[in-house]
C-alpha cells in the first residue's frame, strides 16, 4: 500500500512539474510580430508587370521587370532588367531600358542605372532619338526624365554628346545641359 501511495505522489509531482515547465514564460514561443524582421527576407516578384492609370482609366505607364526585390522591409523596391513604357494619349510613347531601377518611397520617382536607354516610339514608325547614359531619374508625376551624367543622343546617322539632360516626355522635348558636341553625317 505504501508503494501505491508513493507511485501516486510521484505521478502527481511529475504532472505538476510538467505543467509549471510548459506554462513558464521562458518556454512560451515569441509572437510572430515580435520576431526580428531583419531575420526574414523581404518579398520578391519575378517577371512582373506594373501599370499606372490616369483619372479616365487609361494606362499612362507600364513597368516590366525580370525581378523586383523589397529593400530591408521598407516600402522601397529594386527592379532588375527593367523596361519602363510611358504611354502618351497623343500617340508619342517613350520606352526606357536599364539594368537596375530603384523606386523611391511614395513611387513618385524611379532611378534607373546601368546601360540606360531612352527612346521614342511613334505610331507611324518614324525615326526617333535614342538617348544613352549610365543613370536616369524618371519623375512619374511630371513625366520628366533627367540625368546629370554624360549622355549620347543618336538620331539616325547623327550623334550628340552632352553632360546632363532633361527630357519632358509629355511635351516631347529634350534639353541637353552642358558640354554639347555634335557629329552629323551628310
Amino acid at each position: 500500500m505504501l508503494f501505491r501511495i508513493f507511485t501516486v505522489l510521484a505521478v502527481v509531482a511529475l504532472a505538476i512539474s510538467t505543467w509549471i515547465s510548459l506554462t513558464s514564460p521562458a518556454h512560451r514561443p515569441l509572437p510572430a510580430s515580435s520576431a526580428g524582421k531583419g531575420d526574414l527576407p523581404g518579398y520578391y516578384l519575378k517577371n512582373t508587370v506594373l501599370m499606372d492609370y490616369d483619372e479616365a482609366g487609361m494606362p499612362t505607364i507600364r513597368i516590366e521587370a525580370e525581378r523586383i526585390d523589397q529593400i530591408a522591409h521598407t516600402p522601397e523596391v529594386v527592379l532588375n532588367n527593367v523596361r519602363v513604357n510611358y504611354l502618351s494619349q497623343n500617340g508619342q510613347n517613350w520606352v526606357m531600358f536599364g539594368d537596375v531601377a530603384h523606386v523611391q518611397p511614395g513611387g513618385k520617382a524611379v532611378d534607373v542605372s546601368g546601360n540606360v536607354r531612352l527612346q521614342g516610339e511613334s505610331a507611324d514608325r518614324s525615326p526617333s532619338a535614342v538617348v544613352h547614359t549610365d543613370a536616369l531619374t524618371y519623375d512619374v508625376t511630371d513625366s520628366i526624365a533627367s540625368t546629370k551624367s554624360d549622355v549620347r543622343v543618336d538620331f539616325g546617322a547623327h550623334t550628340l554628346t552632352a553632360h546632363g539632360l532633361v527630357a519632358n516626355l509629355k511635351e516631347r522635348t529634350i534639353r541637353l545641359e552642358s558640354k554639347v558636341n555634335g557629329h552629323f553625317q551628310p
Side-chain angles (χ1 to χ4, degrees):
M1 175 115 165
L2 188 60
F3 179 71
R4 287 189 179 170
I5 292 175
F6 179 71
T7 305
V8 170
L9 286 175
V11 169
V12 169
L14 180 64
I16 290 172
S17 67
T18 303
W19 178 77
I20 289 172
S21 173
L22 292 176
T23 58
S24 164
H27 289 12
R28 289 185 187 152
L30 292 174
S33 63
S34 298
K37 287 186 177 181
D39 298 342
L40 302 173
Y43 70 83
Y44 71 93
L45 304 168
K46 294 174 96 178
N47 301 319
T48 307
V49 176
L50 306 170
M51 297 286 292
D52 192 23
Y53 300 89
D54 63 12
E55 295 81 25
M58 299 299 294
T60 57
I61 189 170
R62 176 185 169 103
I63 301 175
E64 300 173 28
E66 188 175 291
R67 183 178 170 104
I68 299 176
D69 290 289
Q70 180 185 23
I71 299 175
H73 298 283
T74 66
E76 299 177 62
V77 294
V78 172
L79 299 85
N80 294 297
N81 294 327
V82 67
R83 174 187 172 119
V84 179
N85 291 72
Y86 170 76
L87 309 170
S88 173
Q89 300 308 314
N90 66 7
Q92 174 65 44
N93 298 331
W94 292 83
V95 62
M96 179 173 39
F97 301 91
D99 293 340
V100 177
H102 175 259
V103 179
Q104 296 177 9
K108 300 298 180 197
V110 180
D111 296 318
V112 182
S113 61
N115 299 313
V116 180
R117 189 174 82 228
L118 174 68
Q119 65 189 57
E121 291 182 337
S122 63
D124 63 357
R125 303 281 184 210
S126 60
S128 62
V130 179
V131 176
H132 302 271
T133 187
D134 61 347
L136 197 68
T137 297
Y138 175 66
D139 182 323
V140 176
T141 306
D142 297 328
S143 299
I144 293 178
S146 61
T147 185
K148 299 288 184 196
S149 299
D150 291 335
V151 297
R152 186 183 84 234
V153 181
D154 295 327
F155 188 79
H158 311 297
T159 301
L160 289 171
T161 59
H163 185 77
L165 166 135
V166 176
N168 187 324
L169 305 184
K170 285 183 184 176
E171 296 178 8
R172 300 174 49 196
T173 60
I174 295 176
R175 186 180 77 227
L176 301 173
E177 297 290 308
S178 65
K179 299 180 185 175
V180 179
N181 291 301
H183 181 71
F184 297 91
Q185 298 290 333

